[in-house]
């Protein structure tokens, strides 16, 4: 069972998916550059044990392959992104409101620093890329806040820049849940109580970077996905419910009246950006940290963000595939056989949806529903004889089942990511979108005749495969496993 970051690190170790680095490493560029080169090569999760100026080990590259995402979701490491997304949406089908369980003994309360004793500089926050505006303490973490009008607790991952011993800034894009909530506090003339959680059960990070729906608590979603409630304690400082087994928690107050220069950061698009600035630098709210809690021997956690494909893109590919699939099913649209948001599209911009068409206009309904998903720039629709993640065959469909004039639909205005560098800086929140329908039109009474192999010959060839001196393939194994019928057998056998 995985209930905290230590369980996850131990599970990765057991599966041979973790590498420890005991050579000294600098937080200034060196750590992120080692991690990026490792990620580009599809390498293991890294645990840096000696980072200059800090006693804390640093976990990096944790989610860069689907194998470690599967370990986090307590699934077989061979499970693909699409299969993980299917399991995610299936686990949510029973509801996403598993209430957290309040506990008295929270390991994260073992070490407490308050007021003057707070020193964020002791954490190994990396400076990731040469053009970054500073060090980032929050890149694999989440921010907890509570709606002042209800009991809704929101968890969201929004980058956190180190600004001083007890000061950070946070970049929360327009329309994100924490932005909706902090404006309510600001309207009341109040600062917002917040907690920044670094290193809890890694599923928390996965879900806090998911838009689960405004008003829906990520704690409930995590509980539904894990099949057991999240263990929390009630903070006597901020009143927030916080994860008991977190490695590190920074508690304080977000002040919308105190804006400071933030960024740029080498972002998940592969470009430097900030959401609101004109020079890559934005003005963002500060958080004054009043209290730091941590476990004994805490582990610090980072993700390199930056160019695809790394943790950030894999996280988004899985959580956005799963939530898009969940949304289509919640709308009771039948026939969805696969959903895949491509990691290479930054885990954000492009999705493929595979459909078993049942009526004229079915694929169009799926396309129009899917394209409304926040941040998606394009949706490609294919028939269900093509798996959503079989990109070779998706290209085949785009070649032979797709006629641009008939099959493309442009939506003029949709919600965009403010970090999208293809949009003019003056209008970063609105973009056009495209649906590319590569399904054979359902209403055609004469469909193109596809080339297929003769089933009887195939089975007999599969049985004789070894005679031809060719290595066994998965297709041959499948044919043999499917068995044969009496009429396929050669006479006398
Ligand atoms: C590693 C990582 C970093 C992220 N950084 C930011 C960020 O700085 N600002 C932001 O608005 N969204 C960021 N996101 C995306 C949000 O986490 C995501 O939109 C999430 O749904 C926000 O939570 P909310 O839906 O509760 O607002 C990041 C995602 C990941 C995986």
């Amino acid at each position: 069972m995985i209930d905290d970051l230590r369980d996850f690190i131990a599970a990765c170790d057991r599966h041979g998916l973790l590498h420890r680095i005991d050579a000294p490493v600098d937080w200034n560029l060196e750590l992120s550059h080692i991690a990026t080169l490792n990620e580009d090569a599809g390498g293991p999760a890294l645990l840096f044990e000696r980072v200059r100026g800090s006693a804390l080990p640093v976990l990096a590259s944790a989610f860069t392959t689907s194998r470690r995402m599967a370990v986090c979701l307590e699934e077989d490491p061979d499970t693909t992104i699409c299969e993980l997304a299917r399991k995610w949406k299936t686990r949510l089908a029973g509801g996403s409101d598993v209430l957290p369980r309040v506990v008295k003994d929270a390991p994260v309360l073992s070490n407490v620093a308050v007021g003057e004793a707070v020193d964020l500089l002791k954490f190994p926050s990396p400076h990731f890329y040469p053009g970054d505006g500073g060090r980032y303490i929050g890149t694999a973490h989440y921010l907890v806040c509570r709606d002042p009008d209800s009991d809704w607790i929101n968890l969201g991952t929004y980058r956190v820049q180190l600004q001083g011993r007890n000061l950070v800034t946070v970049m929360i894009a327009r329309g994100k849940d924490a932005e909706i909530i902090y404006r309510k506090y600001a309207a009341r003339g109040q600062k917002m109580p917040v907690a920044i959680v670094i290193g809890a059960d890694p599923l928390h990070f996965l879900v806090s970077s998911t838009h689960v729906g405004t008003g829906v608590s990520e704690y409930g979603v995590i509980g539904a996905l894990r099949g057991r409630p999240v263990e929390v304690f009630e903070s006597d400082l901020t009143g927030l419910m916080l994860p008991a087994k977190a490695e590190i928690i920074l508690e304080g107050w977000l002040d919308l009246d105190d804006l400071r220069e933030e960024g740029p950061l080498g972002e998940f698009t592969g470009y430097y950006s900030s959401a609101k600035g004109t020079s890559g630098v934005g003005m963002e709210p500060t958080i004054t940290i009043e209290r730091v809690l941590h476990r004994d021997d805490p582990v610090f956690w980072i993700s390199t963000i930056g160019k695809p494909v790394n943790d950030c893109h894999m996280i988004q590919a899985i959580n956005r595939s799963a939530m898009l699939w969940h949304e289509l099913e919640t709308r009771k649209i039948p026939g969805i056989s696969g959903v895949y948001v491509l990691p290479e599209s930054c885990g954000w911009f492009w999705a493929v949806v595979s459909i078993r068409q049942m009526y004229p206009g079915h694929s169009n309904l799926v396309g129009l529903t899917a394209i409304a998903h926040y941040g998606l720039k394009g949706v490609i629709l294919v028939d269900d004889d093509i798996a959503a993640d079989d990109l070779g065959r998706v290209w085949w469909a785009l070649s032979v089942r797709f006629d641009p004039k008939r099959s493309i639909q442009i939506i003029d205005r949709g919600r965009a990511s403010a970090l999208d560098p293809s949009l003019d800086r003056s209008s970063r929140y609105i973009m056009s979108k495209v649906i590319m329908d590569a399904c054979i039109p359902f209403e055609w009474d004469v469909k193109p005749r596809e080339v297929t192999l003769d089933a009887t010959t195939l089975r007999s060839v599969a049985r004789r495969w070894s005679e031809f001196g060719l290595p066994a393939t998965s297709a041959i194994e499948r044919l043999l496993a499917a068995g044969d019928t009496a009429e396929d057998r050669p006479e006398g056998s």
Side-chain angles (χ1 to χ4, degrees), residues 138-141 152 154-160 170-179 205-214 216 218 262 265 267-268 275 303-305 310-313 315-316 319-320 348 374 415 419:
T139 55
H141 68 293
W152 168 38
N154 187 69
L155 274 50
T157 296
Y158 319 104
R159 74 193 199 197
V160 178
V170 59
M171 197 280 286
I172 308 175
R174 296 301 305 267
K176 301 286 173 100
D177 288 340
E179 196 243 10
F205 175 36
L206 202 51
V207 174
S208 66
S209 355
T210 309
H211 186 57
V212 300
T214 300
V216 177
E218 284 78 3
E262 195 273 352
L265 174 69
E267 265 293 349
F268 78 109
S303 66
T304 52
I305 310 192
N310 61 41
D311 301 14
C312 185
H313 314 97
I315 290 169
Q316 296 183 151
N319 67 28
R320 287 166 65 77
W348 190 266
Y374 164 46
R415 186 178 174 207
L419 301 184

Side-chain angles (χ1 to χ4, degrees), residues 4-10 12-13 17-21 31-32 35 38-39 44-51 56-64 68 124 126 128 139-141 198-202 205 247-248 298-304 311:
D4 62 12
L5 194 62
R6 294 158 194 225
D7 292 341
F8 176 66
I9 291 172
C12 287
D13 216 359
L17 300 173
L18 179 84
H19 177 73
R20 292 187 160 78
I21 296 183
L31 188 152
S32 62
N38 173 60
E39 288 156 4
L46 300 178
L47 195 62
F48 292 94
E49 291 177 329
R50 287 165 64 200
V51 181
L56 280 68
V58 177
L59 178 68
S61 313
F63 281 153
T64 308
R68 294 193 289 281
F128 287 91
T139 55
H141 68 293
I198 303 169
D201 170 351
F205 175 36
E247 296 293 322
I248 301 159
V299 179
F300 194 73
W301 191 8
I302 63 115
S303 66
T304 52
D311 301 14

Side-chain angles (χ1 to χ4, degrees), residues 80-90 92-93 317-341 351-355 366 369-370 373 376 388-389:
T80 63
I81 293 179
C82 267
E83 273 310 303
L84 291 172
R86 182 194 300 276
K87 287 171 188 289
W88 178 311
K89 64 96 187 163
T90 305
L92 286 193
I318 288 191
N319 67 28
R320 287 166 65 77
S321 299
M323 292 310 289
L324 177 53
W325 203 336
H326 175 65
E327 279 164 29
L328 291 166
E329 289 202 348
T330 307
R331 294 282 308 272
K332 306 285 181 214
I333 300 177
I336 309 297
S337 70
V339 176
Y340 184 53
V341 174
V352 182
V353 182
S354 163
I355 312 155
V366 174
T369 311
H373 196 76
L376 271 190
D389 59 353

Side-chain angles (χ1 to χ4, degrees), residues 7 26 30 40 50 57 76 84 86 123 151 163 181 191 272 286 361 370 413 422 449 471 473:
D7 292 341
D26 204 310
E30 197 174 36
D40 289 349
R50 287 165 64 200
D76 182 327
L84 291 172
R86 182 194 300 276
F123 293 110
D151 57 2
Q163 300 280 359
I181 295 174
K191 296 177 187 171
Y272 290 103
T286 50
R413 288 171 60 80
S422 70
R449 232 178 104 214
T473 65

Side-chain angles (χ1 to χ4, degrees), residues 220-488:
V221 174
I222 296 163
L225 291 175
R226 276 273 179 255
R228 51 188 184 272
V230 177
E231 293 192 347
V232 295
F233 69 97
E234 184 174 356
S235 163
D236 57 4
L237 179 69
T238 51
L240 295 166
M241 292 294 176
L242 301 173
K245 289 186 174 172
E247 296 293 322
I248 301 159
I249 298 182
L250 318 177
E251 290 186 275
W253 277 266
L254 181 148
D255 188 355
L256 200 53
D257 288 332
D258 182 8
L259 302 179
R260 306 259 171 123
E261 280 196 355
E262 195 273 352
L265 174 69
E267 265 293 349
F268 78 109
T269 57
Y271 287 88
Y272 290 103
S273 50
S274 72
K276 299 165 195 155
T278 50
S279 59
V281 178
M283 298 300 289
E284 301 294 346
T286 50
I287 300 173
T288 302
I289 303 298
E290 186 164 333
R291 183 163 83 168
V292 175
L293 312 172
H294 67 81
R295 289 176 75 163
D296 293 336
D297 304 319
V299 179
F300 194 73
W301 191 8
I302 63 115
S303 66
T304 52
I305 310 192
K307 275 194 182 142
V309 171
N310 61 41
D311 301 14
C312 185
H313 314 97
M314 290 297 286
I315 290 169
Q316 296 183 151
I318 288 191
N319 67 28
R320 287 166 65 77
S321 299
M323 292 310 289
L324 177 53
W325 203 336
H326 175 65
E327 279 164 29
L328 291 166
E329 289 202 348
T330 307
R331 294 282 308 272
K332 306 285 181 214
I333 300 177
I336 309 297
S337 70
V339 176
Y340 184 53
V341 174
L342 285 74
E344 295 79 4
S345 76
C346 307
W348 190 266
F349 294 103
W350 282 89
V352 182
V353 182
S354 163
I355 312 155
R356 184 164 47 83
Q357 293 188 76
M358 297 173 187
Y359 48 84
H362 187 173
S363 61
N364 191 252
L365 173 66
V366 174
L368 286 169
T369 311
I371 200 65
H373 196 76
Y374 164 46
L376 271 190
K377 190 173 281 193
V379 172
I380 299 172
L381 306 164
V382 292
D383 286 299
D384 73 334
D385 59 331
I386 297 179
D389 59 353
D390 188 347
L391 298 186
R393 282 171 53 85
V394 169
W395 269 108
W396 177 61
L398 281 171
S399 307
V400 297
R401 298 179 181 180
F402 176 85
D403 169 45
K405 191 122 184 146
R406 181 196 74 232
S407 315
I408 286 183
Q409 212 169 338
I410 304 250
I411 312 293
D412 286 345
R413 288 171 60 80
R415 186 178 174 207
S417 162
L419 301 184
D420 180 350
S422 70
L423 302 175
D424 188 84
R425 294 203 67 88
S426 60
S427 57
R428 277 278 174 97
Y429 279 100
I430 303 291
M431 67 173 174
S432 62
K433 294 172 167 237
V434 61
I435 302 168
M436 302 191 8
D437 188 343
C439 297
I440 299 172
F442 183 85
E443 59 279 14
W444 284 2
D445 46 2
V446 181
K447 305 264 193 323
R449 232 178 104 214
E450 190 178 328
V451 178
T452 54
L453 300 181
D454 176 66
T456 309
T457 312
L458 259 183
R459 285 192 289 263
S460 94
V461 161
R463 278 196 304 273
R464 295 187 52 208
W465 196 247
S466 58
E467 290 177 40
F468 311 134
L470 290 166
T473 65
S474 51
I476 296 296
E477 273 159 20
R478 265 198 311 277
L479 282 162
L480 291 173
D484 50 15
T485 56
E487 67 268 23
D488 297 332

